[in-house]
Amino acid sequence: QVQLVESGGGLVQAGGSLRLSCAASGRTFSSSAMGWFRRTPGKEREFVAAISSSGGNTYYRDSVKGRFTISRDNAKNTVYLQMNSLKPEDTAVYYCAADLYSHSISTISGAYDYWGQGTQVTVSS
């Protein structure tokens, strides 16, 4: 069993920054690809960013490229999402997810085995 706990969400003005963290329990973290997804009311959950188990590969949705950075610290069992130049359309609940024992990265939510509870990010205009 893996538990994921997100933190770092909040209210920020457009153009501001936030850093989300996701702390994972268990011994599988360093063998797992990790992803960040987000959901807004009335919309499907959408892929934001993902990182391979080693941290050597990353992938982003087009709308966040150049603004968001995903990273991980396997010694701390934590994955991060640094969000800069935030826009009102980035407002959502952000979830981290773990794809256990996967060394590749996926943009598909169904590929992920465990999910956190989510953290709210609100960007005001």
Side-chain angles (χ1 to χ4, degrees):
Q1 190 77 1
V2 175
Q3 290 188 321
L4 303 173
V5 180
E6 301 100 334
S7 61
L11 173 64
V12 65
Q13 289 188 328
S17 298
L18 284 174
R19 187 174 84 154
L20 305 184
S21 298
C22 173
S25 66
R27 301 179 180 179
T28 60
F29 182 80
S30 62
S31 300
S32 303
M34 299 295 295
W36 285 97
F37 289 76
R38 65 188 182 188
R39 176 180 279 162
T40 54
K43 289 188 176 182
E44 295 282 329
R45 182 165 51 192
E46 64 181 21
F47 169 80
V48 177
I51 188 167
S52 62
S53 56
S54 68
N57 292 314
T58 58
Y59 191 77
Y60 301 89
R61 70 179 296 107
D62 286 345
S63 62
V64 308
K65 285 179 182 177
R67 300 188 298 122
F68 290 12
T69 302
I70 189 171
S71 61
R72 66 190 296 159
D73 185 339
N74 285 350
K76 295 182 178 180
N77 277 16
T78 301
V79 63
Y80 305 96
L81 186 67
Q82 177 68 43
M83 305 185 295
N84 299 329
S85 302
L86 282 160
K87 303 176 180 180
E89 52 264 42
D90 294 318
T91 295
V93 178
Y94 283 72
Y95 300 88
C96 72
D99 184 3
L100 296 188
Y101 304 114
S102 175
H103 299 287
S104 60
I105 53 179
S106 174
T107 64
I108 307 301
S109 61
Y112 292 82
D113 304 292
Y114 291 94
W115 294 81
Q117 82 289 349
T119 185
Q120 176 71 48
V121 171
T122 303
V123 184
S124 63
S125 57

